[in-house]
């Protein structure tokens, strides 16, 4: 499934857990895996805490400290920091499906990670039956 997403900030994490969970439910697949894939070079996807929003804020701020928007970069487009952050975070994540549900920990959520927004973005959800 292809999903469209409109990010609204230069850097933000958007919780897409419900979108992925809905795709899993609609697939009627009880056991398998789901892959979430982001086809961009300045955005990514990760799994982390979705209970305390300060965690996401801390991740973004710490990445910004280590890989600031302005730095000693050569890439002419001026968004090297976003390319670096996207590579570190990664372009895909995999979650196990058990009894028709995402096998996420209590505090885990799936985040689309924007590093060079705001932009129109997309991600894929691929469900594979066991
Ligand atoms: Zn670039």
């Amino acid at each position: 499934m292809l999903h469209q997403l409109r990010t609204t900030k230069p850097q933000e994490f958007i919780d897409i857990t419900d979108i992925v969970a809905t795709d899993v439910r609609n697939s009627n697949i009880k056991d398998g895996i789901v892959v979430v894939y982001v086809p961009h070079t300045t955005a990514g996807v990760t799994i982390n805490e979705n209970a305390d929003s300060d965690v996401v804020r801390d991740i973004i701020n710490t990445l910004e400290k280590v890989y600031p928007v302005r730095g000693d970069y050569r890439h002419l487009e001026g968004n090297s920091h976003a390319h670096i952050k996207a590579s570190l975070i990664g372009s895909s994540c995999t979650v196990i499906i058990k009894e028709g549900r995402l096998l996420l920990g209590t505090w885990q959520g799936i985040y689309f990670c924007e590093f060079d927004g705001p932009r129109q973005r997309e991600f894929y959800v691929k469900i594979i039956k066991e």
Side-chain angles (χ1 to χ4, degrees):
M1 275 73 69
L2 171 63
H3 294 278
Q4 306 285 336
L5 195 64
R6 174 94 214 156
T7 61
T8 60
K9 294 174 188 166
Q11 300 188 60
E12 66 177 323
F13 284 18
I14 296 169
D15 191 335
I16 57 170
T17 312
D18 287 345
I19 297 169
V20 179
T22 301
D23 282 352
V24 167
R25 213 175 307 121
N26 292 341
S27 75
N28 279 320
I29 289 168
K30 300 299 172 203
D31 288 284
I33 58 170
V34 56
V35 178
V36 181
Y37 176 70
V38 171
H40 299 292
T41 60
T42 56
V45 63
T46 193
I47 295 173
N48 216 300
E49 168 152 351
N50 68 354
D52 179 1
S53 59
D54 280 345
V55 172
V56 160
R57 177 244 173 233
D58 289 348
I59 293 172
I60 292 171
N61 280 16
T62 304
L63 284 172
E64 185 54 36
K65 251 181 231 162
V66 182
Y67 310 100
V69 172
R70 292 185 202 296
D72 182 20
Y73 309 121
R74 288 193 174 175
H75 178 47
L76 289 174
E77 205 187 0
N79 61 354
S80 276
H81 76 100
H83 288 293
I84 294 165
K85 290 164 187 165
S87 262
L88 286 171
I89 288 286
S91 302
S92 68
C93 71
T94 307
V95 181
I96 294 169
I97 301 165
K98 188 185 177 194
E99 293 166 3
R101 299 174 65 110
L102 292 171
L103 192 59
L104 287 170
T106 309
W107 311 112
Q108 285 184 315
I110 306 167
Y111 285 99
F112 182 96
C113 308
E114 175 64 83
F115 296 113
D116 194 26
R119 288 191 197 212
Q120 188 66 35
R121 297 293 202 176
E122 53 191 33
F123 63 94
Y124 292 87
V125 175
K126 184 78 177 177
I127 300 164
I128 301 153
K129 196 176 172 189
E130 186 178 301

